[in-house]
Every structure is written in C-alpha cells, then in structure tokens.
Amino acid sequence: MPFLGQDWRSPGWRWVKTEDGWKRCEPFSPALEDGNNQLNDISHTVIITGDDEDEDIYSTEDCEFAAKKRKKDHCRNNTDSQCFYREKWIYVHKESTKERHGYCTLGEAFNRLDFSSAIQDIRRFNYVVKLLQLIAKSQLTSLSGAAQKNYFNILDKIVQKVMEDQYNPRLIKDLLQDLSSTLCILIRGVGKSVLVGNINIWICRLETILLWQQQLKNLQMNKQVNNGLTLSDLPLHMLNNILHRFSDGWDIITLGQVTPTLYMLSEDRQLWKKLCQYHFAEKQFCRHLILSEKGHIDWKLMYFALQKYYPVKEQYGDTLHFCRHCSILFWKDTGHPCTASDPDTCLMPVSPQHFIDLFKF
C-alpha cells in the first residue's frame, strides 16, 4: 500500500500560532507566489552602496544568496498571506501504524474541520452548539490545553454571533448553563488533577461565562419595521404547516406567543400528538400516560414528560459524515479524497455524540 505519512528525514511542517491555536502553514500559497517572483528579480540586479566613491558591486552568487534570504524572511513575516488547511477533513485513527505516526485528537479535529467557520453557516450552527454542549457535560476533563483554547475561542465566536444576529439565543443559553454548572463542580476538585491547566485560568473562564450569560439575559430583540406582508397575514393552513415543521416543543410555544391566532394553533392536540410520535415510541407512551380533566391524553404535557426520560431525535441541516472505507471525517459538501469505487455507499452521518465517541481513548 502507498506510504501516506511524511518522510521522517524531511524537516517537518512549519506551524504558525493563531487565535484558534497552532495551524500548519503552506509556504507555497498563491498569495506568496507574486512576492517570490518579485524577490527572484533581485538576483539579477546590481546592488550599489550609497557611497559614490567606493562602489561595491556584488557577484551573482551573492545576489542569489541575498534573494533566498529575503524569501525566507518574507515567508516568516507575511503571516496574513498564508493558507491553513485547504482540506476540511481529518483521518480518524486511534493508534500508531507503519503508515501513520501517532493519533488524532479532539483539538486537532477542531482545527482541521474548521468549526470556527462552521458556526457562520446556519445549517451547521445547531450541530456545533450541540457538540460543544456535550463536551461541556462529559469531556472537559479530557481536553488538552490546545483543545481548551480552541473550545473557548469557538464559544466566544458563537456568543458574539448570537449578540449580533440574535439567532437562537435559547440554544446558547442552555450551553452556557451546562458549562457553568460543570465548571463549578470540577473547580471544587482542585488538587485532584481533574482539569488540565492552572486553576486560576479556569476561574477566569468561569467569570467570562457568567459575563456571557448576563449579556444574553439583557439581550433585546430588535423590532423589524416592515411595511409588507407579515407572518400574521398568512392563511391559517400555511401557519399550521409552519408549526408542524418544528421539531422542538419550545419553539412551538415561543411562536405561539406572537399572536392570538398562533397561540390557538400551537395548542392543537394533533400537533403535539405528531410531535410525540416523531420523537418517542409507543411503548414509551404507555409508561407515562397523562390524562386531562376530560379523560383525553394531554399530548403537550406528555411531550415534556417524555423528554425528561428519553432523548429526542436530533435534526440538523448539515452534519459531519464518516467514510467507513477511508476512515475520514468530513463535511459532506466539502468532500474528501475517497478511493472507494462507490463512495456514497460508504458514508455514514455522524451525530454530535458519535463525534465525541470517535475521539475517546
């Protein structure tokens, strides 16, 4: 089989420290080619000192050496023009082999899969937030220093996006609540090596989380002025279809608070019955039956009661995918270099919980 790793005799990759952690640099990026071409011209010029009496003309070899040195300095200093990880995929392996040295980590996956950019895509926003929430509940103690930094950098960008766009603040509030609760418990275990890093750093992070929670609590939704058609102008059957598209009960309740008409539609028994049937099985209904005063099943209360005992189905606009043939994790629309004859048969969608399980060692 082909040798997929880097030759051990080579000098290795060049890494640059950024806000999101250390990233690999590609020295031959298109942005640097123009600069290199200009530096190549220096080797064909004559360099003369400022003193007219003692003109010192360098040889061609000296000029070439100076040009090469300038190229190196240009690559080191021009960090804005460098390219990082054009591919948005990562090979998932848990042990060293002859072809690959070492194993991938959660922090490396954060860099390679570019979660910082993924939160700007409305299809992936909920997926990334759910992933961070699961990490906050169970994986904080296993994060390395680099993974911690990446985690909180992405979290900071999510909070800033919610503050600017006012998109789904309830989701990020739940994430911060779970994260702060977990940190309060773990910080009490000082001296037991429950967290990687200095305890003062984690206390500062907890204070930052509390500040974010206060900012989201004081968030005021901007009222949009629109002289055209509004949601209330739609026919009843269209409003009813919109409510039936929701997979979260809290979203239905929130929308029902907008107008009296939407409130009436949001209290429909058939709406909540279909929501329960979508998320839960009939065996689960029998164990937690809730009847109304008239003897009918209260499907709305049933939904929230079942939600406490059983996990609901997760629904995302876009998810990560895992190729069973190549053992590569990637975003489906970016693709990956698959060697299978029929790549579509090897793909498997990866839920946030499955993603965490892939990096448990």
Side-chain angles (χ1 to χ4, degrees):
M1 63 180 300
F3 186 82
L4 301 179
Q6 190 182 14
D7 191 344
W8 61 272
R9 295 166 294 183
S10 66
W13 300 112
R14 184 167 177 270
W15 298 82
V16 176
K17 190 175 183 180
T18 65
E19 295 180 356
D20 298 329
W22 289 90
K23 294 186 177 181
R24 195 180 76 201
C25 169
E26 295 181 7
F28 299 104
S29 61
L32 296 180
E33 291 182 357
D34 296 338
N36 291 339
N37 293 334
Q38 295 177 1
L39 294 175
N40 286 333
D41 297 337
I42 299 178
S43 60
H44 302 289
T45 59
V46 179
I47 303 176
I48 303 178
T49 61
D51 191 356
D52 295 339
E53 297 179 357
D54 299 325
E55 294 186 355
D56 198 5
I57 302 177
Y58 291 90
S59 63
T60 304
E61 294 180 357
D62 294 335
C63 292
E64 292 178 354
F65 176 78
K68 291 179 180 179
K69 187 177 185 303
R70 288 186 178 87
K71 287 181 184 179
K72 292 181 179 179
D73 295 338
H74 184 76
C75 291
R76 291 172 182 171
N77 298 329
N78 193 0
T79 56
D80 296 335
S81 302
Q82 294 164 354
C83 300
F84 305 111
Y85 293 121
R86 294 179 180 176
E87 66 277 3
K88 306 296 182 183
W89 52 267
I90 184 171
Y91 179 81
V92 181
H93 52 113
K94 298 185 178 182
E95 58 184 6
S96 298
T97 62
K98 293 181 179 180
E99 291 78 17
R100 294 184 180 271
H101 176 68
Y103 56 88
C104 57
T105 62
L106 187 61
E108 185 181 1
F110 268 57
N111 272 344
R112 294 291 296 270
L113 296 173
D114 198 11
F115 285 104
S116 296
S117 300
I119 61 175
Q120 304 301 327
D121 190 335
I122 192 173
R123 301 172 303 165
R124 301 173 181 174
F125 182 84
N126 293 358
Y127 183 89
V128 177
V129 172
K130 181 63 176 180
L131 176 60
L132 296 185
Q133 188 174 13
L134 292 176
I135 293 176
K137 291 181 178 180
S138 61
Q139 296 297 312
L140 281 181
T141 55
S142 63
L143 292 181
S144 64
Q148 292 173 16
K149 186 175 181 181
N150 291 335
Y151 181 92
F152 282 93
N153 283 340
I154 296 173
L155 186 59
D156 182 26
K157 293 181 179 179
I158 289 176
V159 174
Q160 299 306 320
K161 176 178 175 60
V162 173
M163 296 296 295
E164 294 174 2
D165 301 344
Q166 302 175 351
Y167 175 74
N168 210 342
R170 179 175 55 83
L171 195 63
I172 188 62
K173 286 180 181 178
D174 294 340
L175 165 59
L176 294 178
Q177 180 61 40
D178 292 337
L179 182 58
S180 60
S181 301
T182 304
L183 279 183
C184 289
I185 297 174
L186 294 178
I187 287 177
R188 296 172 186 171
V190 179
K192 299 180 181 179
S193 301
V194 293
L195 287 172
V196 177
N198 191 292
I199 187 62
N200 295 324
I201 297 177
W202 285 102
I203 292 176
C204 292
R205 287 172 175 168
L206 180 58
E207 293 176 351
T208 303
I209 293 171
L210 296 177
L211 178 61
W212 286 339
Q213 288 179 314
Q214 187 62 36
Q215 290 176 349
L216 291 173
K217 184 178 180 181
N218 299 331
L219 179 63
Q220 298 292 332
M221 305 299 289
N222 296 330
K223 186 176 181 180
Q224 297 182 356
V225 179
N226 190 357
N227 297 327
L229 292 175
T230 62
L231 190 64
S232 303
D233 297 327
L234 296 176
L236 289 179
H237 72 277
M238 294 186 66
L239 293 175
N240 193 42
N241 288 336
I242 292 174
L243 287 170
H244 277 79
R245 299 289 182 179
F246 288 179
S247 61
D248 192 313
W250 285 110
D251 291 336
I252 295 176
I253 293 177
T254 303
L255 185 59
Q257 296 173 353
V258 177
T259 63
T261 303
L262 288 172
Y263 175 77
M264 177 192 67
L265 294 175
S266 66
E267 294 294 321
D268 183 27
R269 291 181 65 254
Q270 291 298 322
L271 172 64
W272 290 99
K273 180 180 179 180
K274 290 184 178 180
L275 191 63
C276 289
Q277 292 174 343
Y278 173 76
H279 287 288
F280 310 106
E282 292 185 4
K283 294 182 179 180
Q284 297 169 343
F285 296 161
C286 300
R287 297 175 184 176
H288 305 278
L289 277 177
I290 299 178
L291 301 179
S292 62
E293 297 178 355
K294 298 181 180 180
H296 301 294
I297 298 178
D298 193 331
W299 291 104
K300 182 178 180 180
L301 293 180
M302 280 273 293
Y303 169 80
F304 291 104
L306 293 170
Q307 195 177 32
K308 296 178 181 179
Y309 298 99
Y310 309 103
V312 297
K313 288 185 179 179
E314 299 177 355
Q315 190 177 38
Y316 304 102
D318 189 15
T319 64
L320 289 171
H321 281 69
F322 181 75
C323 180
R324 293 186 295 268
H325 177 79
C326 306
S327 296
I328 288 179
L329 191 65
F330 64 101
W331 294 105
K332 189 174 182 180
D333 58 350
T334 59
H336 75 289
C338 187
T339 58
S341 57
D342 190 2
D344 293 337
T345 60
C346 305
L347 302 186
M348 177 180 63
V350 177
S351 66
Q353 183 61 53
H354 186 196
F355 176 88
I356 294 177
D357 294 338
L358 287 174
F359 295 95
K360 285 183 178 179
F361 302 104

